[in-house]
Amino acid sequence: MNMQDKAPIILGIESSCDETAAAMLTRGPDGEPVVLSSIIASQDEEHRPFGGVVPEIAARAHVKKIDHVIDQAIRASGKSYGDIDAVAATSGPGLIGGVISGLLSAKGLSMSLGKPLIAVNHLEGHALSPRLAAPCAFPYLLLLVSGGHTQLLAVRGLGQYERLGSTVDDAAGEAFDKTAKVMALGFPGGPAVERLAVKGDPKAVKLPRPFAKTDHANFSFAGLKTAVARAFDASDKSDKAKADIAASFQMAVCDVLADRTANAMKLFTANTDGNSPHRFVVAGGVAANKAIRKSLETLCAKNGFTLTAPPMKFCTDNAAMIALAGLEHYIRGSFAELDVAARPRWPLDSAAAAANPASGFGKRGPKS
Ligand code: KG4
Ligand code: ZN
């Protein structure tokens, strides 16, 4: 049978960080993606006592939850195991124990159902995620800002991803989580810092803006994280001091994201046909932050870009985006062998990452 004859049904599996997720997806009459179900089991409870994601705990939690989450996603879609045409799983980049657990489940299902396996790059899932909710024509500039990633990518078409910038150390979400941990605000840190920031003065504490006034689009958050810890140590640790630090930190992140995105907008437009509309998409957990959204909206208005922020359920880690990337690979007949390896590192733009690694080039290759 020609694979394009019937709308294929793809099971997607995601387990690269701290969400265990599965989704069923197909395509509609005009080729648009149709999400049949999307189940996400969060591990917040498991990681809360540590104020951050603990890889070993994450891997064990995935192993415990994954079969049930897959089963739930299939039931919620109104389909059965026999209806699945292909199994797509995140194969990297991410915390290796988690990636292995999702990929192994996918391999087992692929083998027992006799259906192809598709190895998906988690970052490709994020890159395509705006298309889950509404049409979003290529090309667009994407800011992916989460607990695991901070990247600016020109998404020019399927398989055409150009890295314009990436963090050289921590992700922005990690800096939010660390700021919350230092001041014992709870986990995940982002929402706690945002709630407290409303009560503080964003100009009260002087914090660095790493890479300000440069013309590249890379990020660095390690210095900001340390500066926050120092500011808290030096403060009287009152509620007022905490609110001022939260507000000043959030303002620093807003400034850094807007400054580097402005540089990426120049790089993006320089290589884009002048007649094509300028689209900017922000995705990832940190995109939930209202102050950050507002500063990106202002930046877009100033630079003639239209801003799209997918609904939060597709912004944060989910398996629908993995199933969507899987669908695109399925249509192209791009399948994986059963011995495909899980990859802790897997840059989307491998040429740029190899030529100019943003965050180190260890024995396992460039990170981003
Ligand atoms: O995309 P996500 O759910 O998971 C990955 O890391 O891939 O992002 C989680 C991150 C956490 O670091 C969390 O603190 C941050 O997103 N976050 C926020 C907010 N909500 C979640 N950061 C700032 N403000 C928020 N409202
Ligand atoms: Zn992610």
Side-chain angles (χ1 to χ4, degrees):
M1 183 191 75
N2 183 333
M3 285 185 176
Q4 316 236 9
D5 285 346
K6 122 181 199 301
I9 295 174
I10 312 291
L11 168 67
I13 299 175
E14 158 59 32
S15 60
S16 66
C17 189
D18 61 342
E19 323 279 2
T20 313
M24 293 277 278
L25 178 137
T26 187
R27 61 177 180 184
D30 299 322
E32 74 283 9
V34 177
V35 180
L36 300 172
S37 67
S38 178
I39 304 291
I40 302 172
S42 155
Q43 299 179 4
D44 283 356
E45 288 308 315
E46 283 90 337
H47 300 291
R48 180 160 292 126
F50 306 93
V53 178
V54 183
E56 172 75 20
I57 292 174
R60 285 172 190 269
H62 286 303
V63 171
K64 198 165 144 197
K65 295 180 186 193
I66 199 133
D67 291 345
H68 181 59
V69 166
I70 292 171
D71 206 51
Q72 262 186 298
I74 295 169
R75 277 167 203 263
S77 72
K79 306 284 178 193
S80 66
Y81 282 85
D83 295 322
I84 295 169
D85 291 297
V87 184
T90 294
S91 309
L95 300 175
I96 196 66
V99 178
I100 288 173
S101 92
L103 186 57
L104 274 181
S105 300
K107 286 180 179 181
L109 275 171
S110 155
M111 217 179 330
S112 60
L113 298 173
K115 297 294 172 171
L117 173 72
I118 301 167
V120 174
N121 183 317
H122 177 83
L123 298 171
E124 178 167 56
H126 277 300
L128 301 180
S129 66
R131 300 161 70 88
L132 283 168
C136 186
F138 300 122
Y140 48 87
L141 175 65
L142 172 78
L143 171 65
L144 172 55
V145 65
S146 72
H149 326 278
T150 305
Q151 298 205 350
L152 279 154
L153 291 165
V155 183
R156 301 202 181 276
L158 283 160
Q160 296 171 46
Y161 312 111
E162 185 191 346
R163 186 198 67 186
L164 300 177
S166 184
T167 180
V168 301
D169 42 51
D170 302 327
E174 254 178 293
F176 268 97
D177 292 334
K178 186 68 195 290
T179 296
K181 191 175 176 178
V182 162
M183 299 196 281
L185 305 180
F187 177 83
V193 171
E194 181 172 20
R195 276 193 300 275
L196 193 56
V198 177
K199 300 178 196 157
D201 172 4
K203 296 204 176 101
V205 184
K206 227 171 137 18
L207 293 171
R209 270 50 174 173
F211 294 152
K213 301 202 173 69
T214 54
D215 58 4
H216 61 71
N218 288 331
F219 302 91
S220 166
F221 291 100
L224 184 55
K225 227 168 64 174
T226 313
V228 163
R230 285 217 188 98
F232 183 60
D233 272 350
S235 77
D236 63 6
K237 302 188 176 52
S238 62
D239 288 349
K240 163 94 174 70
K242 286 185 190 175
D244 284 347
I245 291 172
S248 303
F249 163 78
Q250 185 173 274
M251 178 57 85
V253 177
C254 285
D255 287 351
V256 164
L257 292 178
D259 182 65
R260 245 21 63 67
T261 302
N263 290 349
M265 283 174 168
K266 284 188 203 135
L267 298 168
F268 178 80
T269 38
N271 286 324
T272 304
D273 163 18
N275 296 322
S276 128
H278 294 159
R279 291 183 200 85
F280 173 68
V281 177
V282 60
V286 181
N289 187 288
K290 291 189 193 67
I292 290 173
R293 275 193 188 214
K294 199 151 180 272
S295 88
L296 292 171
E297 262 162 28
T298 307
L299 178 76
C300 282
K302 203 170 129 201
N303 289 300
F305 274 71
T306 52
L307 178 103
T308 302
M312 278 319 283
K313 62 180 177 180
F314 297 141
C315 242
T316 53
D317 283 351
N318 66 86
M321 68 184 193
I322 303 305
L324 173 57
L327 173 68
E328 298 298 349
H329 287 276
Y330 181 90
I331 291 166
R332 286 158 188 76
S334 146
F335 303 124
E337 298 297 329
L338 276 176
D339 63 354
V340 65
R343 301 173 63 169
R345 297 178 173 203
W346 187 0
L348 211 44
D349 180 351
S350 46
N356 181 19
S359 48
F361 195 112
K363 13 176 224 242
R364 288 168 297 168
K367 208 167 163 187
S368 55

